[in-house]
Amino acid sequence: MSVRDEVSDEQGVQEQVEALIDEVGETQPQPLFETSQLRGQIAIVTGASSGIGRAVALELARCGVHIAFCFLDSGGQARAEAQDMARHLRELEVRVFFRSCDVRESRDVRQFVNEAHEELGGVHILVNNAGISRDRPLWKMEDHEWESVLKTNLDGAFFFTRAVAPIMRAQEYGKIVNITSVHGIRSVFGISNYSASKAGLIGLTQSTAIELGPRNINVNAVAPGYIRTTRLTQGVPSDVLDAAREGSALGRLGDPQDVAGVVLFLCSEAARHVTGAVVPIDGGYLL
Ligand code: NDP
């Protein structure tokens, strides 16, 4: 090989290396778990006046996300909680839209999404959080106990997802996070309605991820284990909670904030290549 051939070979390699560096440089995420890009976005969080939904909405608001949330107006207490939540959100200097909306009612959900869209100027994030449980062995379970849990936990998420889909598809951007449960993956005695609804929500997550992925919309689920919320502390016997604590690798129950952190991650660009996933937040309960 002549000296001239060697020089031109070297130049070729150099050019290839530079092209590679340029390519890598273009796709390098800036820096990991950056949330500043969320500032100014608009999120809908269902059932956000208490527990996990409240923690999620507050965490998003701390990142500058404007919040629309709904609650079920079942009396003075629910309304007071929602108003208190709205006040906390406004203290974080974000815009807030909230009203009672029953997630089981398709028409009400559509109207809520349209109003939130108009009031806040868009919808970039949807967190399907509203959920209930009505535990009972299946041979004693009443029709209304089955139906109310399935309608709230599964139909509600479907109604909201269907209502935001055209908005997110048109803007070619969206993040949807469904709050399922470890009991949608592995059940225990007396929760056939709850387990069926949460397993269904995992199916909905995967199917929606496939359908909306081509328009740059990420759809994921988180599966909390036992999380310390009022619902949990009031509704679950203490021996069940003790067993859950002892049966998890980390030996503790979770807090709403533990769920909020993962939801925030899934809404951030650090998770832009994650879709259709179900992330357990259970301290190792499922291991
Ligand atoms: P909460 O009862 O504190 O929160 C549930 C929220 O959903 C409430 O704000 C409630 O509103 C709202 N809601 C219920 N029904 C409706 C409805 N028909 N329409 C509109 N809003 C409604 O419970 P958690 O925070 O504990 O639970 C939140 C989610 O996390 C649920 O989906 C639950 O299944 C899931 N989860 C919870 C776990 C836990 O250990 N806590 C574990 C795994 C999953 P209102 O207050 O006005 O009634």
Side-chain angles (χ1 to χ4, degrees):
M1 189 186 279
S2 72
V3 173
R4 190 179 296 172
D5 284 345
E6 275 181 29
V7 170
S8 88
D9 256 15
E10 249 177 54
Q11 278 172 345
V13 170
Q14 188 64 29
E15 277 165 21
Q16 280 176 14
V17 169
E18 275 168 18
L20 202 61
I21 289 170
D22 278 354
E23 199 182 304
V24 172
E26 267 173 30
T27 55
Q28 198 87 46
Q30 294 289 323
L32 271 183
F33 205 4
E34 171 61 64
T35 56
S36 64
Q37 116 283 345
L38 290 175
R39 184 162 294 280
Q41 290 194 6
I42 289 126
I44 293 177
V45 184
T46 66
S49 41
S50 61
I52 292 171
R54 181 183 167 93
V56 167
L58 285 169
E59 203 52 45
L60 287 167
R62 276 187 203 106
C63 296
V65 176
H66 307 296
I67 304 289
F69 76 91
C70 69
F71 64 101
L72 186 63
D73 200 351
S74 47
Q77 167 92 3
R79 180 152 288 275
E81 271 183 0
Q83 281 164 347
D84 180 60
M85 175 59 178
R87 191 173 51 76
H88 275 93
L89 289 168
R90 289 191 181 113
E91 279 169 10
L92 294 167
E93 298 182 353
V94 295
R95 286 184 290 134
V96 182
F97 170 76
F98 76 107
R99 74 159 170 83
S100 167
C101 164
D102 189 338
V103 302
R104 296 168 295 185
E105 299 296 332
S106 164
R107 203 183 301 168
D108 200 12
V109 168
R110 246 186 228 289
Q111 212 171 323
F112 179 90
V113 169
N114 289 340
E115 287 169 15
H117 186 241
E118 269 174 36
E119 282 279 331
L120 299 179
V123 180
H124 304 96
I125 296 169
L126 166 66
V127 182
N128 283 310
N129 163 78
I132 57 167
S133 55
R134 300 284 181 267
D135 301 350
R136 200 187 284 273
L138 72 88
W139 59 91
K140 292 184 183 164
M141 192 172 285
E142 306 274 351
D143 288 358
H144 69 88
E145 289 167 327
W146 173 267
E147 283 161 13
S148 60
V149 170
L150 266 289
K151 282 222 87 156
T152 306
N153 299 2
L154 186 53
D155 293 23
F158 165 66
F159 292 151
F160 263 95
T161 304
R162 185 177 58 180
V164 302
I167 300 168
M168 291 184 174
R169 276 169 54 81
Q171 70 201 9
E172 300 208 347
Y173 180 89
K175 309 280 181 191
I176 300 175
V177 183
N178 294 324
I179 313 290
T180 175
S181 163
V182 287
H183 294 133
I185 299 168
R186 193 178 76 196
S187 196
V188 293
F189 184 90
I191 59 165
S192 56
N193 49 359
Y194 187 77
S195 273
S197 72
K198 294 297 189 179
L201 192 51
I202 291 173
L204 178 68
T205 303
Q206 293 170 346
S207 185
T208 312
I210 292 168
E211 293 186 25
L212 299 183
R215 294 289 179 99
N216 191 34
I217 299 162
N218 301 60
V219 188
N220 291 292
V222 296
Y226 290 83
I227 304 294
R228 278 185 294 227
T229 61
T230 320
R231 182 185 82 91
L232 187 75
T233 44
Q234 281 173 356
V236 180
S238 60
D239 57 324
V240 173
L241 294 183
D242 289 344
R245 190 183 292 112
E246 283 155 24
S248 70
L250 294 178
R252 61 169 182 246
L253 303 177
D255 288 316
Q257 200 62 19
D258 295 321
V259 181
V262 181
V263 173
L264 185 66
F265 165 70
L266 290 171
C267 294
S268 78
E269 281 311 284
R272 69 180 199 134
H273 208 49
V274 181
T275 201
V278 183
V279 184
I281 310 171
D282 65 346
Y285 169 85
L286 283 176
L287 295 174

